[in-house]
Amino acid sequence: MHFGKLKDYINGQWVSHTDAEYLKVYNPSTGEEICEVPITPTNQVEAAISAAEEAFKTWKNVSMEKRVKYLFDLRDALVQRHEELAQSIAIDQAKHISDARAEVNRAIQITETACGIPLMMTGNKFAINEDVDGEVIRESIGVVGALAPFNFPALVFGWFIPYAIGCGNTIVYKASEQSPLFMQKIMEIFEEIKLPKGVVNLVNGTKPVVEAMLNSPIIKAMAFVGSTPVGRIVAEGSAQTGKRSQVLAGAKNTLIVAEDANMDGFIQNYINSAYGAAGQRCMAGSIVAAVEDVYDEVKERMIKASKEVKIGDARDEDVFLGPVISQKSVDRCHYYIDLALKEGANLALDGRNPTLPEKNKNGYFVGPTIVSEVTPDMKIAVDEIFGPVVSLMKFKNVDEALEFFNNSDFGNGGSIFTESGLYAHKFLREANSGMIGVNVGVPASMPYLPFGGTRSSLFGSQIKAQGQDAVDFFTKRKACTVRFYGKN
Ligand code: NAD
C-alpha cells in the first residue's frame, strides 16, 4: 500500500508543493515505503501562519458554545473513524494495533474532557471594597504552533488541538515526519465538520519548518513533545522571540521492586511497561531497580516472561511486540547494549537478532532485551534509549533505589512495587518525578489530570498537558480593577 505524496492543509485547502523536498516514509514492520512527506517550504509555513492569524480575528469571537460544538463533532468523528485512525498509526509508526486502538481511545477521552473548556475557562471575580471589583478573565493567546513526536500522533494531537482551538486560538500544527498519516485523517475530519478555514493548519517536515515557526513573530506560543535536545532548541528559540513554550521531553523511568512486592503483579506490569509500544513511550519502564533480597528472583522471572513475548508485525493481532521506528533506532539499541557490556554489565536476554516472520525480515526489530548488573555510572542507566531494552539494577534497599531514581536527569515517571504502606507512602512523598505510581507499570495520568514530568522531562513554561493545565497554557489571564461612582 502506498499513500503517495502527502499534502499540507493550509487555510482550509489541501496543498501540494512542486518546489518541496520530500522525505520517504517506511512501514517499520516491513521496511516498505508507504508514502512521501513534504518538508513544507518556508513560504508555505508562513502562509499557514498568516492563515491562522487571519482566522484568529474571527475565531476568538466565536461564542464558547459554538467552539465547543465543533469539539463535540470532532469527538463523534473520532469515534466513528476509530479503527481507521488506529490502523494509520499501526502502519507508519508500527505501534501494535491494540496499543494504537488504546491511543485513539485516549485521544477521544482527552477531546471529551476538552469539551468541558467552558467550565475550565471561567475566571473569578471578587469585591475589593464597597465600590471596587477585582476580576480575572481568561483570553485566547492568538496563533499557536505545535510540534509532535513520532510515537504518539493521536495523544499529542489531543493534548494540543482541541485545547488550543477550544480556548479560542488558531493553530499551525507540524506532524512528525516519521508518522504523518494520522494527521492527514484528522484534517479530513476538520474538513467534514466544516471547521472555519485557517483555524487548524497542518504542515509537515522537520528542522527548517520548526525554524520558520520559531522565527515567526506572529506565533505567540509553542507546544512541543519530543526529545530533550530538540526540546531545548524549541524552548530557547521560543524565548528569543518572546513566545511562551511548553516542552514535554525525554524520559528514563524506573520501576522499583521492593522485597515485599507481589511478583505476579510486577511481572505483568513490567511486560506492558517495558515492551508495550516497543518501549517507545515516554512512560516506558526502562530500568528495573530491584532490592538485593529479591534481585535473583526478579531477574529469573523477567527473563522467563520476556521470552514469551510474541514479536512480529504491528498489525497482526496475536503479536505483542512490534518494531521500533527506524533502522537508526535499532542501531541506537545495539549501541547501548554493546557499550553496557564493555562497561561491565551482563546480557541476561539478548534481543539483537530476534526470530521474525518472513514478511517482517526487512523491518526494524529488536527483541526483548534485559541488560543485568547495570550500575548507576553506566551510560545505559542514564541515557534515554527508546526501545525494548531494559536495564536491571540491584540496590541494597528501597532508600538506595529511590536515591538513584531521584538522581536521574529526567523526571517523567516511575513506580514502586510493594505491598507496604510505608514504602508506598515514602515513594509518593519523596519521588522527584512528574507522574508516579504504586504497583502500576505505566502511571500516565488520566485525561483530566496534568500530564508531564520535571527536570529534563518538562521545561519551558512548566505548565503540563491535559485538563486545567492545558487551559492555563492556551490562555492568558488578565486582572481587571473596576469602579463605578454612580452619576453625580
Ligand atoms: P524528536 O525530538 O526527534 O522530534 C520531535 C519533533 O521535533 C518532530 O516534530 C521533529 O520533526 C522535530 N525535530 C526533530 N529534529 C529537529 C531539529 N533538529 N530541530 C527542530 N525540530 C526538530 O522526538 P521523536 O523521536 O519524534 O519522539 C520521541 C521523543 O519524544 C522521546 O524522547 C520521548 O521521550 C519524547 N516524548 C515525550 C513525551 C512526554 O510527555 N514527555 C511524550 C511522547 C514522547
Tab-separated table of all heavy atoms in Angstrom, residues 241-280:
chain	number	residue	atom	x	y	z
A	241	THR	N	12.143	34.785	20.814
A	241	THR	CA	11.143	35.562	20.072
A	241	THR	C	9.921	35.867	20.959
A	241	THR	O	8.838	36.188	20.447
A	241	THR	CB	10.703	34.815	18.791
A	241	THR	OG1	10.475	33.444	19.118
A	241	THR	CG2	11.749	34.916	17.706
A	242	GLY	N	10.088	35.730	22.253
A	242	GLY	CA	9.055	36.156	23.190
A	242	GLY	C	7.815	35.279	23.225
A	242	GLY	O	6.728	35.716	23.623
A	243	LYS	N	7.957	34.028	22.825
A	243	LYS	CA	6.799	33.132	22.867
A	243	LYS	C	6.799	32.371	24.186
A	243	LYS	O	7.869	32.057	24.713
A	243	LYS	CB	6.873	32.079	21.760
A	243	LYS	CG	7.045	32.595	20.352
A	243	LYS	CD	7.142	31.413	19.403
A	243	LYS	CE	7.708	31.714	18.040
A	243	LYS	NZ	7.700	33.031	17.542
A	244	ARG	N	5.646	32.029	24.666
A	244	ARG	CA	5.635	31.063	25.763
A	244	ARG	C	5.845	29.677	25.161
A	244	ARG	O	5.506	29.439	23.997
A	244	ARG	CB	4.348	31.123	26.575
A	244	ARG	CG	3.117	30.713	25.848
A	244	ARG	CD	1.913	30.609	26.767
A	244	ARG	NE	1.457	31.904	27.250
A	244	ARG	CZ	0.348	32.065	27.977
A	244	ARG	NH1	-0.400	31.025	28.298
A	244	ARG	NH2	-0.019	33.247	28.373
A	245	SER	N	6.425	28.760	25.913
A	245	SER	CA	6.608	27.418	25.369
A	245	SER	C	6.281	26.372	26.421
A	245	SER	O	6.371	26.612	27.628
A	245	SER	CB	8.048	27.213	24.890
A	245	SER	OG	8.934	27.214	25.987
A	246	GLN	N	5.849	25.258	25.916
A	246	GLN	CA	5.559	24.099	26.756
A	246	GLN	C	6.317	22.944	26.125
A	246	GLN	O	6.049	22.586	24.982
A	246	GLN	CB	4.058	23.823	26.707
A	246	GLN	CG	3.637	22.577	27.419
A	246	GLN	CD	2.140	22.353	27.288
A	246	GLN	OE1	1.625	22.250	26.201
A	246	GLN	NE2	1.444	22.281	28.403
A	247	VAL	N	7.299	22.399	26.845
A	247	VAL	CA	8.152	21.382	26.265
A	247	VAL	C	8.056	20.102	27.087
A	247	VAL	O	8.558	20.022	28.209
A	247	VAL	CB	9.617	21.888	26.199
A	247	VAL	CG1	10.553	20.782	25.736
A	247	VAL	CG2	9.721	23.080	25.255
A	248	LEU	N	7.383	19.115	26.524
A	248	LEU	CA	7.308	17.795	27.172
A	248	LEU	C	8.349	16.933	26.492
A	248	LEU	O	8.237	16.661	25.291
A	248	LEU	CB	5.913	17.201	27.010
A	248	LEU	CG	4.843	17.925	27.825
A	248	LEU	CD1	3.915	18.697	26.924
A	248	LEU	CD2	4.054	16.943	28.664
A	249	ALA	N	9.387	16.536	27.232
A	249	ALA	CA	10.565	15.970	26.579
A	249	ALA	C	10.866	14.544	27.037
A	249	ALA	O	9.989	13.826	27.489
A	249	ALA	CB	11.734	16.910	26.819
A	250	GLY	N	12.133	14.164	26.919
A	250	GLY	CA	12.550	12.772	27.087
A	250	GLY	C	12.382	12.208	28.492
A	250	GLY	O	11.983	12.913	29.431
A	251	ALA	N	12.692	10.931	28.623
A	251	ALA	CA	12.416	10.249	29.887
A	251	ALA	C	13.337	9.057	30.091
A	251	ALA	O	13.942	8.546	29.145
A	251	ALA	CB	10.966	9.767	29.879
A	252	LYS	N	13.440	8.648	31.333
A	252	LYS	CA	14.133	7.413	31.697
A	252	LYS	C	13.442	6.974	32.987
A	252	LYS	O	13.724	7.515	34.068
A	252	LYS	CB	15.625	7.718	31.944
A	252	LYS	CG	16.481	6.510	32.165
A	252	LYS	CD	16.922	5.894	30.856
A	252	LYS	CE	17.808	4.692	31.066
A	252	LYS	NZ	18.096	3.990	29.788
A	253	ASN	N	12.505	6.060	32.877
A	253	ASN	CA	11.628	5.764	34.019
A	253	ASN	C	12.029	4.465	34.720
A	253	ASN	O	12.364	3.477	34.076
A	253	ASN	CB	10.189	5.667	33.543
A	253	ASN	CG	9.791	6.890	32.722
A	253	ASN	OD1	10.027	8.029	33.136
A	253	ASN	ND2	9.237	6.674	31.551
A	254	THR	N	11.940	4.513	36.033
A	254	THR	CA	12.380	3.366	36.844
A	254	THR	C	11.196	2.678	37.529
A	254	THR	O	10.290	3.344	38.035
A	254	THR	CB	13.372	3.871	37.928
A	254	THR	OG1	14.516	4.411	37.271
A	254	THR	CG2	13.818	2.765	38.855
A	255	LEU	N	11.252	1.349	37.530
A	255	LEU	CA	10.299	0.563	38.316
A	255	LEU	C	11.091	-0.027	39.493
A	255	LEU	O	12.001	-0.835	39.283
A	255	LEU	CB	9.697	-0.575	37.475
A	255	LEU	CG	9.101	-0.192	36.109
A	255	LEU	CD1	8.586	-1.433	35.374
A	255	LEU	CD2	7.967	0.829	36.272
A	256	ILE	N	10.770	0.418	40.704
A	256	ILE	CA	11.462	-0.100	41.890
A	256	ILE	C	10.712	-1.334	42.398
A	256	ILE	O	9.480	-1.305	42.523
A	256	ILE	CB	11.514	0.982	43.000
A	256	ILE	CG1	12.349	2.186	42.515
A	256	ILE	CG2	12.084	0.408	44.294
A	256	ILE	CD1	12.394	3.354	43.504
A	257	VAL	N	11.458	-2.393	42.675
A	257	VAL	CA	10.808	-3.606	43.201
A	257	VAL	C	11.299	-3.835	44.625
A	257	VAL	O	12.490	-4.124	44.851
A	257	VAL	CB	11.132	-4.845	42.329
A	257	VAL	CG1	10.243	-6.019	42.752
A	257	VAL	CG2	10.930	-4.539	40.841
A	258	ALA	N	10.388	-3.673	45.571
A	258	ALA	CA	10.743	-3.876	46.983
A	258	ALA	C	10.694	-5.370	47.317
A	258	ALA	O	10.140	-6.168	46.556
A	258	ALA	CB	9.775	-3.091	47.865
A	259	GLU	N	11.211	-5.726	48.499
A	259	GLU	CA	11.294	-7.152	48.857
A	259	GLU	C	9.914	-7.772	49.071
A	259	GLU	O	9.764	-8.986	48.991
A	259	GLU	CB	12.184	-7.348	50.100
A	259	GLU	CG	11.714	-6.672	51.382
A	259	GLU	CD	12.193	-5.209	51.488
A	259	GLU	OE1	12.589	-4.629	50.456
A	259	GLU	OE2	12.164	-4.670	52.616
A	260	ASP	N	8.900	-6.921	49.315
A	260	ASP	CA	7.573	-7.481	49.585
A	260	ASP	C	6.628	-7.309	48.384
A	260	ASP	O	5.410	-7.367	48.519
A	260	ASP	CB	6.959	-6.795	50.812
A	260	ASP	CG	6.736	-5.308	50.576
A	260	ASP	OD1	7.256	-4.786	49.560
A	260	ASP	OD2	6.036	-4.676	51.389
A	261	ALA	N	7.199	-7.112	47.194
A	261	ALA	CA	6.338	-6.885	46.020
A	261	ALA	C	5.555	-8.143	45.668
A	261	ALA	O	6.023	-9.262	45.889
A	261	ALA	CB	7.198	-6.479	44.825
A	262	ASN	N	4.366	-7.947	45.130
A	262	ASN	CA	3.612	-9.061	44.554
A	262	ASN	C	4.268	-9.358	43.197
A	262	ASN	O	4.126	-8.577	42.261
A	262	ASN	CB	2.143	-8.655	44.393
A	262	ASN	CG	1.324	-9.732	43.716
A	262	ASN	OD1	1.745	-10.318	42.724
A	262	ASN	ND2	0.153	-9.989	44.266
A	263	MET	N	4.985	-10.455	43.110
A	263	MET	CA	5.813	-10.711	41.915
A	263	MET	C	4.974	-10.921	40.651
A	263	MET	O	5.366	-10.467	39.572
A	263	MET	CB	6.674	-11.953	42.119
A	263	MET	CG	8.047	-11.734	42.626
A	263	MET	SD	8.944	-10.305	42.066
A	263	MET	CE	9.925	-10.054	43.506
A	264	ASP	N	3.832	-11.583	40.787
A	264	ASP	CA	2.997	-11.788	39.579
A	264	ASP	C	2.539	-10.432	39.051
A	264	ASP	O	2.573	-10.173	37.858
A	264	ASP	CB	1.759	-12.639	39.896
A	264	ASP	CG	2.134	-14.078	40.199
A	264	ASP	OD1	3.267	-14.461	39.851
A	264	ASP	OD2	1.302	-14.794	40.793
A	265	GLY	N	2.107	-9.591	39.978
A	265	GLY	CA	1.646	-8.250	39.588
A	265	GLY	C	2.764	-7.460	38.940
A	265	GLY	O	2.583	-6.810	37.915
A	266	PHE	N	3.951	-7.544	39.531
A	266	PHE	CA	5.079	-6.798	38.960
A	266	PHE	C	5.381	-7.279	37.543
A	266	PHE	O	5.538	-6.465	36.619
A	266	PHE	CB	6.334	-6.934	39.845
A	266	PHE	CG	7.573	-6.547	39.091
A	266	PHE	CD1	7.771	-5.220	38.696
A	266	PHE	CD2	8.502	-7.504	38.688
A	266	PHE	CE1	8.877	-4.853	37.930
A	266	PHE	CE2	9.610	-7.142	37.928
A	266	PHE	CZ	9.787	-5.818	37.543
A	267	ILE	N	5.461	-8.583	37.361
A	267	ILE	CA	5.876	-9.124	36.047
A	267	ILE	C	4.870	-8.709	34.968
A	267	ILE	O	5.250	-8.278	33.872
A	267	ILE	CB	6.036	-10.667	36.110
A	267	ILE	CG1	7.289	-11.007	36.913
A	267	ILE	CG2	6.096	-11.283	34.719
A	267	ILE	CD1	8.615	-10.553	36.290
A	268	GLN	N	3.604	-8.787	35.284
A	268	GLN	CA	2.569	-8.392	34.312
A	268	GLN	C	2.748	-6.919	33.913
A	268	GLN	O	2.718	-6.564	32.740
A	268	GLN	CB	1.214	-8.575	34.996
A	268	GLN	CG	0.085	-8.764	34.046
A	268	GLN	CD	-1.224	-8.872	34.847
A	268	GLN	OE1	-1.227	-8.994	36.072
A	268	GLN	NE2	-2.315	-8.805	34.143
A	269	ASN	N	2.966	-6.074	34.909
A	269	ASN	CA	3.151	-4.636	34.644
A	269	ASN	C	4.453	-4.347	33.917
A	269	ASN	O	4.520	-3.479	33.053
A	269	ASN	CB	3.129	-3.853	35.962
A	269	ASN	CG	1.722	-3.578	36.417
A	269	ASN	OD1	1.083	-2.646	35.943
A	269	ASN	ND2	1.214	-4.401	37.319
A	270	TYR	N	5.489	-5.102	34.279
A	270	TYR	CA	6.805	-4.903	33.647
A	270	TYR	C	6.726	-5.183	32.147
A	270	TYR	O	7.248	-4.406	31.334
A	270	TYR	CB	7.826	-5.815	34.347
A	270	TYR	CG	8.926	-6.311	33.451
A	270	TYR	CD1	9.946	-5.456	33.031
A	270	TYR	CD2	8.939	-7.644	33.005
A	270	TYR	CE1	10.955	-5.920	32.187
A	270	TYR	CE2	9.937	-8.106	32.163
A	270	TYR	CZ	10.936	-7.243	31.764
A	270	TYR	OH	11.924	-7.690	30.919
A	271	ILE	N	6.052	-6.265	31.764
A	271	ILE	CA	5.969	-6.621	30.337
A	271	ILE	C	5.297	-5.488	29.576
A	271	ILE	O	5.779	-5.031	28.537
A	271	ILE	CB	5.214	-7.964	30.152
A	271	ILE	CG1	6.031	-9.124	30.712
A	271	ILE	CG2	4.860	-8.201	28.678
A	271	ILE	CD1	7.306	-9.453	29.935
A	272	ASN	N	4.196	-4.989	30.086
A	272	ASN	CA	3.488	-3.903	29.392
A	272	ASN	C	4.313	-2.625	29.375
A	272	ASN	O	4.426	-1.938	28.358
A	272	ASN	CB	2.127	-3.667	30.061
A	272	ASN	CG	1.401	-2.521	29.384
A	272	ASN	OD1	1.514	-2.336	28.165
A	272	ASN	ND2	0.689	-1.728	30.158
A	273	SER	N	4.933	-2.329	30.520
A	273	SER	CA	5.658	-1.064	30.646
A	273	SER	C	6.922	-1.054	29.777
A	273	SER	O	7.233	-0.064	29.117
A	273	SER	CB	6.027	-0.858	32.114
A	273	SER	OG	6.669	0.363	32.292
A	274	ALA	N	7.643	-2.171	29.758
A	274	ALA	CA	8.937	-2.198	29.053
A	274	ALA	C	8.784	-2.465	27.563
A	274	ALA	O	9.548	-1.942	26.764
A	274	ALA	CB	9.831	-3.272	29.679
A	275	TYR	N	7.800	-3.284	27.189
A	275	TYR	CA	7.729	-3.724	25.790
A	275	TYR	C	6.491	-3.233	25.053
A	275	TYR	O	6.407	-3.388	23.829
A	275	TYR	CB	7.822	-5.259	25.716
A	275	TYR	CG	9.053	-5.778	26.434
A	275	TYR	CD1	8.962	-6.740	27.443
A	275	TYR	CD2	10.314	-5.263	26.122
A	275	TYR	CE1	10.087	-7.183	28.114
A	275	TYR	CE2	11.446	-5.699	26.793
A	275	TYR	CZ	11.321	-6.660	27.790
A	275	TYR	OH	12.448	-7.085	28.447
A	276	GLY	N	5.517	-2.678	25.759
A	276	GLY	CA	4.371	-2.069	25.081
A	276	GLY	C	4.887	-0.956	24.192
A	276	GLY	O	5.828	-0.236	24.571
A	277	ALA	N	4.323	-0.834	22.991
A	277	ALA	CA	4.777	0.177	22.014
A	277	ALA	C	6.294	0.054	21.776
A	277	ALA	O	6.963	1.044	21.484
A	277	ALA	CB	4.394	1.597	22.453
A	278	ALA	N	6.815	-1.160	21.920
A	278	ALA	CA	8.241	-1.451	21.699
A	278	ALA	C	9.150	-0.568	22.561
A	278	ALA	O	10.247	-0.182	22.144
A	278	ALA	CB	8.602	-1.319	20.211
A	279	GLY	N	8.666	-0.224	23.747
A	279	GLY	CA	9.479	0.603	24.656
A	279	GLY	C	9.564	2.053	24.217
A	279	GLY	O	10.327	2.832	24.785
A	280	GLN	N	8.771	2.416	23.203
A	280	GLN	CA	8.852	3.793	22.684
A	280	GLN	C	7.731	4.657	23.263
A	280	GLN	O	6.942	5.256	22.544
A	280	GLN	CB	8.764	3.775	21.159
A	280	GLN	CG	9.888	3.004	20.501
A	280	GLN	CD	9.688	2.861	19.005
A	280	GLN	OE1	10.512	3.259	18.223
A	280	GLN	NE2	8.570	2.306	18.613
